[in-house]
Amino acid sequence: MTTRLVIGSYTSDMAGTGVGLSVVPGGHVASPSPSYVITDGSYLYAVNEGSGEVSSYALDTLEVLSTQSTGGQWPCHLALIDGYLLAANYGSGSVSVHPVVDGTIGARTSLVQHEGTGPNPERQEGPHAHQIVPGPGGRVTVVDLGIDRLVHYTFADGTLTRVGETPLPPGTGPRHVAVHPSGRWYVAGELNSTVVTLADGDVAAITPCTAVDGPNQASAIAIAGDHLYVANRGPDTITAFRLDAAGVPEPIAEVPTGGHWPRDFALVDDGLVVANERSNTLTWFTLEDGVPVPTGRTLETGSPTSVRPL
């Protein structure tokens, strides 16, 4: 393992010391239900799902620098944009904006609220903002699982201004997206277990996430060169796709993660590392011709929800 990692955990860390963030190799700090973690190279930022807060930490010491309320429920994702921290509140379907100075998060200055429902009565009874995607020219896109929409904003001086939306097939339940340098977008549908390919804002293809029969909740998605990867919670696999000349994903392999409920994964070194939430493990893979190959390396860690390279 040559890459340092930061891990968000719902339960205990490697030493069983409690809910929090771990830097591997490094240390651990208690943090309430950090469901997603990012870093700017000097500081760590986490959303605390249970408490509805965002927190920041010094990377070298893991000292807690600041904690602020997002003004919403169950925050699950965050992004740093032009000196501000934006948080997606899954439970309430809103996005909060916080100024950041030298790693310290300020009080919320803005909160935008989504509205609507989807056809799944259990998961789409209201909006559920799930990811914030910064784009060029001050554009920001919010992926909303509850309303089957990508909601587009401009962002300037800490203010989000809604400028449009991209509808997805009803019941998709978009969780996360990966953006290709060509401008194509790939949307992981958590609820219908598909990858939706968007070209120029239109649906160009819909591809199953897994070839395994049974229920599946797609989670993380990422692009590496001309390959696309999606984690599948249910069959507990990573599916590798090759992008054809038109950018359509073609499945080339589906590999067991070696754990249960792959909540997240990250591209690291010449491979990837998977956070298996319900088996309390990280597992490592190399990539050979785009196919994940298990290395046999495993790390015991408490209920990992997010893994990011440093």
Side-chain angles (χ1 to χ4, degrees):
M1 180 174 61
T2 60
T3 299
R4 294 180 76 203
L5 303 173
V6 57
I7 306 160
S9 299
Y10 273 161
T11 55
S12 64
D13 73 337
M14 285 76 69
T17 56
V19 176
L21 302 176
S22 298
V23 175
V24 180
H28 175 85
V29 62
S31 177
S33 55
S35 58
Y36 204 82
V37 181
I38 60 173
T39 178
D40 62 6
S42 298
Y43 306 100
L44 300 177
Y45 304 88
V47 285
N48 301 315
E49 185 176 299
S51 62
E53 295 172 324
V54 286
S55 296
S56 62
Y57 307 83
L59 180 57
D60 55 349
T61 64
L62 292 184
E63 174 190 3
V64 180
L65 300 178
S66 59
T67 296
Q68 295 286 348
S69 170
T70 67
Q73 297 176 334
W74 307 346
C76 65
H77 194 263
L78 70 173
L80 283 165
I81 306 173
D82 297 335
Y84 291 87
L85 186 71
L86 280 64
N89 296 301
Y90 176 86
S92 49
S94 60
V95 179
S96 62
V97 179
H98 306 258
V100 178
V101 178
D102 295 332
T104 297
I105 306 168
R108 183 182 71 255
T109 57
S110 179
L111 185 71
V112 295
Q113 178 66 53
H114 291 179
E115 302 291 342
T117 61
N120 186 317
E122 294 183 355
R123 297 292 309 279
Q124 295 182 308
E125 79 297 341
H128 293 303
H130 216 309
Q131 186 192 29
I132 298 165
V133 186
R139 298 273 293 198
V140 174
T141 295
V142 178
V143 181
D144 197 306
L145 180 147
I147 60 176
D148 290 322
R149 294 286 190 274
L150 307 183
V151 185
H152 307 297
Y153 295 89
T154 58
F155 185 67
D157 299 323
T159 300
L160 285 165
T161 302
R162 188 165 178 163
V163 293
E165 60 181 39
T166 300
L168 297 167
T172 296
R175 180 184 178 89
H176 281 194
V177 306
V179 182
H180 191 271
S182 67
R184 292 185 299 272
W185 287 52
Y186 298 91
V187 185
E190 177 174 334
L191 300 187
N192 70 356
S193 186
T194 65
V195 176
V196 179
T197 302
L198 298 174
D200 297 322
D202 296 323
V203 175
I206 299 175
T207 309
C209 285
T210 176
V212 179
D213 291 335
N216 177 46
Q217 295 181 33
S219 58
I221 185 169
I223 292 173
D226 61 353
H227 290 91
L228 179 76
Y229 302 93
V230 178
N232 299 299
R233 296 173 296 176
D236 295 335
T237 59
I238 297 286
T239 301
F241 302 86
R242 180 175 289 112
L243 303 177
D244 68 14
V248 175
E250 297 180 338
I252 57 172
E254 186 166 357
V255 179
T257 66
H260 183 32
W261 211 250
R263 170 76 172 259
D264 194 18
F265 69 86
L267 296 166
V268 295
D269 302 325
D270 295 322
L272 55 84
V273 57
V274 181
N276 298 293
E277 179 186 347
R278 295 184 181 176
S279 59
N280 305 306
T281 56
L282 300 184
T283 48
W284 274 261
F285 298 79
T286 59
L287 294 175
E288 299 182 10
D289 295 325
V291 175
V293 176
T295 66
R297 176 178 292 162
T298 299
L299 178 68
E300 297 291 330
T301 184
S303 190
T305 57
S306 177
V307 57
R308 303 265 70 79
L310 295 176

